[in-house]
Amino acid sequence: MPTHEVTNQVPPLHGHDVAADPALLAALDREGAGWAEPELHELGELAGGEEAREWGRLVNENEPVLRTHDRYGNRIDEVEFHPHWHDLMRVAVSHGLHGAPWRDDRPSAHAARAAKMYVWGQVEAGHSCPVSMTYAAIPALRHNPELAAKYEPLLAAREYDYGLREPGTKRGLIAGMSMTEKQGGSDVRANTTTARPNGDGTYRIVGHKWFTSAPMSDLFLTLAQAPGGLSCFLLPRVLPDGTRNALRLQRLKDKLGNRSNASSEIEYENAVGWLVGEEGRGVRTIIEMVNNTRLDCAVGSAAGMRAATVQAVHHATHRHAFGKALDQQPLMANVLADLVLESEAATTVGMRLAGATGRPEEQAFRRLGLAVTKYWVCKRAPSHAAEALECLGGNGYVEESGMPRLYREAPLMSIWEGSGNVAALDALRAMAKQPDTVDAFFTEVELAAGADSRLDDAHARLRKDLSDLADIEYRARRIVESMALVLQGSLLVRFGAPAVADAFCASRFGGDWGVAFGTLPSGVDTAAIIDRARAS
């Protein structure tokens, strides 16, 4: 006989359209990519379905396995994935989340692609890594027109063609990036990997890399010390003659999160590479790739925030305590509304920066806006995930809820492509070396001038802070945080829902906001804000 009746448990969250996100859809249209909305909803329905969610669960519970040798002792350096990894990749590539926008003549193709990354990334974050690197590789590869002509069409092709074969024989390619070494970390100029010219246009590369994510990719951009200094090279896994390039996978990293994605340590044992750009200008060449993956760090953090917020609101809508639903309890409403504010601010600024991609006239704004946004949005994601998890109580701490996976993923984006200090200092570097970026940043912010006095006051304080150069590196995080908030606030005041814009300015600039989420000031229209995160 049953011992009890199961009541007051929340129904599963699936069968909804992940793309039914008012902040996202408004930004998509605003950035000139409204033409992509039908495909976005198609992807959103798939992302909100039970099947795709199960793919995400299984690829994280069944992690990739490194096979260094075959049964006969031959070196093979292969990574074995759960079959659903390939399903996730196939969907991403077929919808153009990788390099497709670089060869798409439709307006704002990069904004359309960012929106799709945001939607599909809510299913599973790990496979977004090789997708993102493929997207980011193309601008860097164009520094060698011959290589770009050969590989760019395949990097942009909407066919996922997995397997170890000569790149030119495949229907589509995936690219990776390999920079970090044991002794250097973010200080890539300390790299010791060497590249020696062979006399036939190729180089012989010897050394190691401490982090190489997605080592099953077809092509890699890497940094090595050539006779002319630190330079960028393209290394295929399979050489034109069909033999395997000497990229040796030493082991896979045992990571906190992002467990579906293989991240490896590799060694180059006289691997063959082709120069991309000029000798001695490797950082300048590959930084274009880094800047585009930094955009995906911000978009990926925003995607995680949205997924966590929707889960928290769904739980609070259906769970009752003390006589009424949790979302009707004033203090829980405060928490949920604050989570929505953070999520929509991240979504809005991420889409604005994605829209600026590919527009030559907006590159100065994008340069600085992306640096401050990468720092702040990625820094906020872990605390946001923790608060959303807590909204589910003990249920949120259990793996079946999916919240622990979101929580483990959240810190990665703040580390990838430069941790917090690197991102903050990059913003200072942009301001010092490219003064036009400061003008472009404030030109954007000033479009909201006069719309909210609290934002205007924050803008004035920021200008004052930037006029004082004393201890500026010591104060870099505080300055960059202020810049990110002012940028977010200006965009929300111009484009956001009135309740969201008012609550954001009242809390982030009004001086009546605590440290934890759920400390919004009185008078906020929490119900209107929370309604924007209900699954539909």
Side-chain angles (χ1 to χ4, degrees), residues 178-184 187-196 203-212 221-227 229-233 235 246-247 266-273:
S178 191
M179 294 196 298
T180 306
E181 298 186 3
K182 295 184 181 77
Q183 73 287 342
D187 183 10
V188 295
R189 296 191 184 278
N191 283 8
T192 61
T193 296
T194 60
R196 296 287 175 248
Y203 287 70
R204 192 67 61 175
I205 298 178
V206 177
H208 76 281
K209 296 294 173 180
W210 190 229
F211 277 93
T212 297
L221 287 171
T222 194
L223 293 175
Q225 299 285 357
L230 190 63
S231 307
C232 181
F233 296 90
L235 281 73
L247 281 68
I266 69 171
E267 290 192 355
Y268 301 130
E269 297 180 1
N270 285 312
V272 178

Side-chain angles (χ1 to χ4, degrees), residues 61-403:
E61 291 185 3
N62 299 272
E63 298 173 26
V65 176
L66 173 61
R67 308 291 187 194
T68 56
H69 296 78
D70 67 13
R71 59 180 291 193
Y72 305 106
N74 299 306
R75 188 93 197 204
I76 57 173
D77 296 290
E78 291 276 18
V79 179
E80 184 178 293
F81 290 87
H82 188 279
H84 287 320
W85 166 272
H86 302 297
D87 290 325
L88 291 162
M89 288 291 294
R90 193 171 294 109
V91 171
V93 170
S94 67
H95 283 275
L97 276 63
H98 60 318
W102 298 109
R103 298 180 70 87
D104 191 335
D105 293 331
R106 289 175 293 184
S108 301
H110 294 279
R113 178 257 176 195
K116 289 185 283 187
M117 278 287 285
Y118 172 93
V119 167
W120 187 240
Q122 293 180 50
V123 173
E124 201 285 315
H127 79 290
S128 298
C129 175
V131 173
S132 176
M133 290 192 294
T134 304
Y135 169 69
I138 289 178
L141 192 60
R142 288 175 176 174
H143 286 271
N144 185 319
E146 183 178 348
L147 292 176
K150 182 177 181 179
Y151 294 123
E152 184 175 321
L154 294 169
L155 290 167
R158 293 195 180 205
E159 290 196 62
Y160 175 62
D161 188 2
Y162 183 77
L164 192 63
R165 302 193 303 282
E166 197 279 313
T169 68
K170 301 184 73 173
R171 301 186 308 276
L173 300 177
I174 298 296
M177 176 171 56
S178 191
M179 294 196 298
T180 306
E181 298 186 3
K182 295 184 181 77
Q183 73 287 342
S186 296
D187 183 10
V188 295
R189 296 191 184 278
N191 283 8
T192 61
T193 296
T194 60
R196 296 287 175 248
N198 290 322
D200 61 356
T202 65
Y203 287 70
R204 192 67 61 175
I205 298 178
V206 177
H208 76 281
K209 296 294 173 180
W210 190 229
F211 277 93
T212 297
S213 287
M216 69 292 169
S217 300
D218 300 293
L219 307 167
F220 295 91
L221 287 171
T222 194
L223 293 175
Q225 299 285 357
L230 190 63
S231 307
C232 181
F233 296 90
L234 181 75
L235 281 73
R237 286 186 67 208
V238 179
L239 296 170
D241 64 3
T243 61
R244 297 186 181 211
N245 208 354
L247 281 68
R248 307 304 187 200
L249 306 188
Q250 302 302 101
R251 64 171 175 168
L252 300 186
K253 298 289 193 180
D254 186 9
K255 299 171 292 185
L256 168 67
N258 206 246
R259 300 189 73 88
S260 69
N261 178 40
S263 297
S264 65
E265 299 167 22
I266 69 171
E267 290 192 355
Y268 301 130
E269 297 180 1
N270 285 312
V272 178
W274 281 260
L275 183 66
V276 178
E278 301 174 27
E279 278 196 11
R281 297 176 69 83
V283 173
R284 182 180 292 271
T285 300
I286 210 167
I287 200 67
E288 292 190 51
M289 186 173 190
V290 171
N291 279 331
N292 283 303
T293 46
R294 282 176 176 168
L295 172 63
D296 280 357
C297 288
V299 171
S301 291
M305 288 185 192
R306 175 66 180 182
T309 301
V310 170
Q311 285 274 15
V313 169
H314 178 75
H315 178 89
T317 300
H318 295 278
R319 181 79 167 180
H320 288 72
F322 310 112
K324 55 184 175 181
L326 289 178
D327 68 333
Q328 301 302 309
Q329 308 275 3
L331 188 51
M332 179 60 85
N334 195 323
V335 172
L336 294 173
D338 212 355
L339 292 174
V340 175
L341 293 183
E342 198 70 41
S343 171
E344 293 211 0
T347 300
T348 301
V349 73
M351 285 297 295
R352 175 69 185 91
L353 292 165
T357 303
R359 297 175 188 160
E361 70 278 12
E362 291 201 321
Q363 291 316 293
F365 161 69
R366 185 183 183 277
R367 172 68 181 91
L368 183 52
L370 180 55
V372 301
T373 296
K374 197 281 183 189
Y375 168 79
W376 180 242
V377 169
C378 298
K379 187 64 67 181
R380 291 292 285 168
S383 56
H384 185 281
E387 195 68 58
L389 181 154
E390 189 177 324
C391 289
L392 277 65
N395 289 329
Y397 202 67
V398 174
E399 288 291 340
E400 290 173 323
S401 72
M403 300 301 282

